[in-house]
Amino acid sequence: MLARCASCGVRFVVPEDRARNPGLKVRCRCGAEFALHAPKPPRVAGGADAAVAAAAAPAPVRSSAAAPPPVAADEPLRSGAWRRCSNHPQVKSESVCPACGIGFCRDCEQRIRNVPVCPRCQGLCTDVAKVEEDAAREKQRARTMADDIGFIAAYPFSDPAAYVMLAVFTGFFSFFSGFAMGVILSKGVLVWYGFTALTKVSVGKFRGYMPNFGDITDIVHPMRLSFAAFLAAGWPLIAVWYFLGLPAFIEQARGPEVAVVHAQEPEPEPPAEEGQAAEGVESGEGAEDGLAAAAEEGPEGYDGGPSPVLGVVLFGVAALWYLLYMPMALIVAAISRGFFKTLNPLIGVEAIAKMGGAYWFAAGIYFALALVQLVLDRFLGLIPIAGTMISAFVAAYAWLATGCALGLAVFKKAKELNLD
C-alpha cells in the first residue's frame, strides 16, 4: 500500500499484511505520526454515505514542527526543479529520481543498503552531479553545428599553455624538414594533438586536449593512422594517376610541340644527301600533306588508349571522392584507432549516412581551415625564420580546430552511431 505523509508529502510503501491492521500508526522521518487506514470502499451514489465515511475517518496527527507545503504528485515539475529538494526547496538535492524528475536532500533520501531509493516510486535515484553532467551534454547535443561555430573557433585557446607548446615544438622541428626525424616529429605531433582533440570532444570532454606521452610510439601511431586515412580517401587518385599515366596522357593530348626559330639566328639547313630531290622545298609542296597525316595519326606516341575526356572524368571522380571522404577517414582513424578499419570505406560511408548534415558542416570547416592554412603558408614562406614560426601557430590552430569540429559532429550524432 502506498502511504503519504500529510505533513511533508513524502510517500512510502507499507506492506499489505501490515496495512490491513486498522489501528496501525506510521511515523515519518520528518517526525509526523499518523494512523494508517485500510483503503476506502468504493464510492456509491449519494453524498450521505460519502459524508458519513469522511466524518468517521479520524484526522491524522500532525507534527508540531512546521514543514514546507508538499509537492502534489500530479503537479507539473518545472525545468530544473530537481536541483532543489522537493521537500526543502532551500536545500540543494543530493540525489535525483530519473522517473519522477524530483530531487531529495540528504535528510529526505531513503537508502536501502546505502543505495538511494525514491520515496515515491521506490525506484533507484542518481547522484545529482551525474544528472547535471547528462543535462549539460544533452543541451550541448541539441545545439546545431552552426550554433557552435564560436566554440569551435575558440577551442584551440581553451588551453593556452598546450597551444603555445604545440606551436613552438612543431615550429622548432620545422627547421629540420630536411631530416626524416624532423618531419615525423613536426607532422606527427600535429596529428597526435588533432586526434586527441577529436577523440575527447567526441565523448563530451570539451576542455583540454593535451595527450598522454609515454614514448615515441605515441607519436608514430597517429602518423600511421593519418597515412591510412590518406590511403582510404586518396586511393582513387593514386589509381588514376598510376594506371592511366595521367601526366604523359595529358602531354600526349596536347600534341607535338612546334619549335620556334628566331629570325636573327637562322638554323642551318642540313646538307642534302646525294640523289635526294630538292624539288618542292621552296614552294612548300608536301607540307600540308604531312600536317594532315599527322593530324589523322594523333599525338606522337599515342597508342589509342583512353580518350582525354575519359581521363578527365575519372580524375574528377577520384578528386571528388577525396574531398568528400577525407574528413570521415580522419574520424574513423581517430575513433577506431585501427589501421585496417580506417582503410575500410564501408565503415565511413555508413557513418556519413547516419551523421547527415552534421558531418557535411564539419567537413566544410575542415576544408575551409585547410585552404586558409595553405594560402597563409604561401605568404609566410616568404618571411625567413619568423614566417616559419608563425606558420607553426597557424598549423596548430588548424589541426586543433579541425579535431574539435569533427569530434563535435561525432558527439552530436553519438546515439545514431551507437557510441553513447
Side-chain angles (χ1 to χ4, degrees):
M1 176 180 178
L2 184 62
R4 178 178 176 179
C5 177
S7 178
C8 65
V10 174
R11 293 189 176 187
F12 47 89
V13 178
V14 178
E16 292 294 339
D17 55 342
R18 301 188 63 184
R20 295 192 186 96
N21 184 1
L24 180 66
K25 293 184 178 181
V26 180
R27 181 185 296 275
C28 181
R29 64 177 60 193
C30 69
E33 183 178 349
F34 57 93
L36 184 69
H37 294 275
K40 296 180 181 181
R43 187 174 183 179
V44 296
D49 295 341
V52 171
V61 180
R62 293 182 177 269
S63 174
S64 58
V71 179
D74 55 352
E75 179 183 352
L77 297 173
R78 294 175 289 108
S79 176
W82 50 266
R83 299 179 187 274
R84 295 283 178 174
C85 177
S86 61
N87 303 317
H88 308 93
Q90 71 278 9
V91 182
K92 291 184 177 180
S93 300
E94 295 288 339
S95 60
V96 179
C97 176
C100 300
I102 56 177
F104 302 97
C105 64
R106 180 70 64 181
D107 294 335
C108 295
E109 281 184 339
Q110 177 179 331
R111 289 183 172 267
I112 299 178
R113 295 183 180 180
N114 204 29
V115 177
V117 179
C118 177
R120 291 191 175 186
C121 67
Q122 299 300 306
L124 294 179
C125 293
T126 307
D127 186 74
V128 69
K130 178 68 167 56
V131 178
E132 289 179 344
E133 180 182 352
D134 293 342
R137 285 166 58 90
E138 291 302 323
K139 182 178 179 181
Q140 182 74 26
R141 187 168 286 165
R143 293 165 57 89
T144 64
M145 291 291 293
D147 294 335
D148 287 324
I149 283 290
F151 169 74
I152 297 172
Y155 178 78
F157 306 121
S158 62
D159 192 347
Y163 173 64
V164 173
M165 185 184 303
L166 171 63
V168 171
F169 184 88
T170 55
F172 174 78
F173 280 97
S174 295
F175 291 106
F176 304 96
S177 58
F179 301 93
M181 185 57 65
V183 174
I184 292 176
L185 290 176
S186 178
K187 302 301 181 182
V189 170
L190 281 175
V191 177
W192 185 30
Y193 269 73
F195 277 7
T196 303
L198 195 161
T199 304
K200 288 189 174 183
V201 173
S202 67
V203 296
K205 297 180 180 179
F206 304 124
R207 293 289 181 181
Y209 44 77
M210 178 75 76
N212 298 322
F213 180 76
D215 50 42
I216 193 63
T217 59
D218 291 334
I219 303 177
V220 176
H221 185 57
M223 285 290 292
R224 292 179 62 252
L225 294 176
S226 65
F227 178 68
F230 170 75
L231 290 180
W235 67 265
L237 279 174
I238 299 174
V240 171
W241 198 271
Y242 178 78
F243 291 106
L244 295 184
L246 197 59
F249 182 78
I250 296 176
E251 191 68 24
Q252 293 170 0
R254 291 171 55 187
E257 295 183 358
V258 179
V260 178
V261 180
H262 298 280
Q264 63 273 20
E265 296 179 359
E267 183 179 353
E269 297 181 0
E273 297 180 0
E274 296 182 1
Q276 181 179 6
E279 299 176 358
V281 174
E282 296 182 358
S283 60
E285 294 178 1
E288 296 181 358
D289 296 339
L291 291 176
E296 293 178 358
E297 294 177 1
E300 183 180 355
Y302 181 60
D303 57 355
S307 65
V309 176
L310 178 60
V312 172
V313 170
L314 292 177
F315 182 80
V317 172
L320 183 62
W321 168 262
Y322 179 86
L323 293 176
L324 299 181
Y325 190 74
M326 186 60 189
M328 178 52 66
L330 293 175
I331 291 175
V332 176
I335 300 300
S336 69
R337 295 288 179 174
F339 187 88
F340 294 103
K341 288 184 178 179
T342 305
L343 293 177
N344 186 358
L346 298 179
I347 297 177
V349 171
E350 182 181 2
I352 291 175
K354 292 181 178 179
M355 294 176 66
Y359 170 74
W360 298 119
F361 195 95
I365 294 177
Y366 167 80
F367 284 109
L369 290 172
L371 181 60
V372 171
Q373 181 185 357
L374 179 63
V375 173
L376 291 179
D377 283 346
R378 291 291 184 180
F379 288 100
L380 295 174
L382 303 176
I383 306 175
I385 302 177
T388 302
M389 292 304 302
I390 298 175
S391 296
F393 277 87
V394 173
Y397 180 89
W399 270 97
L400 291 174
T402 297
C404 176
L406 298 178
L408 194 60
V410 175
F411 169 76
K412 292 182 181 299
K413 298 297 181 179
K415 294 181 179 179
E416 289 80 355
L417 296 173
N418 298 323
L419 298 177
D420 196 0

